[in-house]
Amino acid sequence: MDNIPNLLGLVHRAGKLAIGEEPVAALCRDHKAYLLLLAQDAAENTVRRAEHYAQSSENNLCVTIPLTKDELGSGLGRNSCAMLAIGDVGFASAVADRLAKADPETYGEIRQLLAEKAARAKKRRDEKRAHEKTIRPGKKKARSAKNKKKP
């Protein structure tokens, strides 16, 4: 569990993390949040709101993690943090993977769902790159030996 706050710090530096209730709500309304994380000592009201945000879209998963608000905020340069949302499927999958390694029974299903989403996103990204390579302007096709002009 020690490396989860460090990984969340990396996600924050990448600009894919919403911290606090209002930014999390905005990310969920835009259907861009993949994983909502709640501290184990979050208030009941905060938990209720996070579950409501997660239900607003089928894309969101809400998870309570075994870290306190202080431990969760430590990797983010804050005093405390009760609610987070990750806006990148790859990072969300990595966090779920770390959680599942610590407690496979609780987080195994979430790990599997996010791994599948990440694989689909990677496939779409690769297909898009391959398509962009074929339609680049100025790209010439290699000539075969029989199509070459003779001098």
Side-chain angles (χ1 to χ4, degrees), residues 94-131:
V95 170
D97 188 44
R98 299 258 172 98
L99 287 169
K101 284 182 182 176
D103 189 3
E105 195 172 294
T106 306
Y107 303 107
E109 184 179 343
I110 291 169
R111 173 189 189 185
Q112 184 179 3
L113 286 172
L114 286 171
E116 290 171 2
K117 283 183 182 183
R120 286 193 306 265
K122 184 180 183 314
K123 183 180 176 187
R124 283 192 305 270
R125 210 170 33 246
D126 292 344
E127 288 173 353
K128 182 180 177 184
R129 285 184 188 141
H131 179 68

Side-chain angles (χ1 to χ4, degrees), residues 4-5 8-9 12 17-21 23-24 27-28 33 35-39 46 50 61-63 65 67 72-73 76 78 80-87 95:
I4 290 177
L8 291 174
H12 182 55
L17 187 69
I19 303 169
E21 194 169 320
V24 168
L27 198 65
C28 290
L35 183 63
L36 271 70
L37 300 175
L38 293 168
T46 303
L61 297 170
C62 187
V63 177
I65 59 176
L67 296 172
L72 198 54
L76 305 172
R78 296 178 177 236
S80 68
C81 179
M83 185 188 312
L84 303 168
I86 300 174
V95 170

Side-chain angles (χ1 to χ4, degrees), residues 6-74:
N6 296 335
L7 180 61
L8 291 174
L10 179 67
V11 177
H12 182 55
R13 287 188 294 279
K16 299 293 184 180
L17 187 69
I19 303 169
E21 194 169 320
E22 289 301 318
V24 168
L27 198 65
C28 290
R29 277 192 300 268
D30 293 341
H31 303 285
K32 294 183 180 176
Y34 288 95
L35 183 63
L36 271 70
L37 300 175
L38 293 168
Q40 69 181 4
D41 58 346
E44 284 183 40
N45 233 4
T46 303
V47 173
R48 182 180 52 79
R49 286 188 187 121
E51 289 172 353
H52 176 71
Y53 298 151
Q55 290 173 356
S56 67
S57 172
E58 67 278 351
N59 218 15
N60 303 336
L61 297 170
C62 187
V63 177
T64 301
I65 59 176
L67 296 172
T68 63
K69 292 188 285 190
D70 295 334
E71 293 169 340
L72 198 54
S74 70

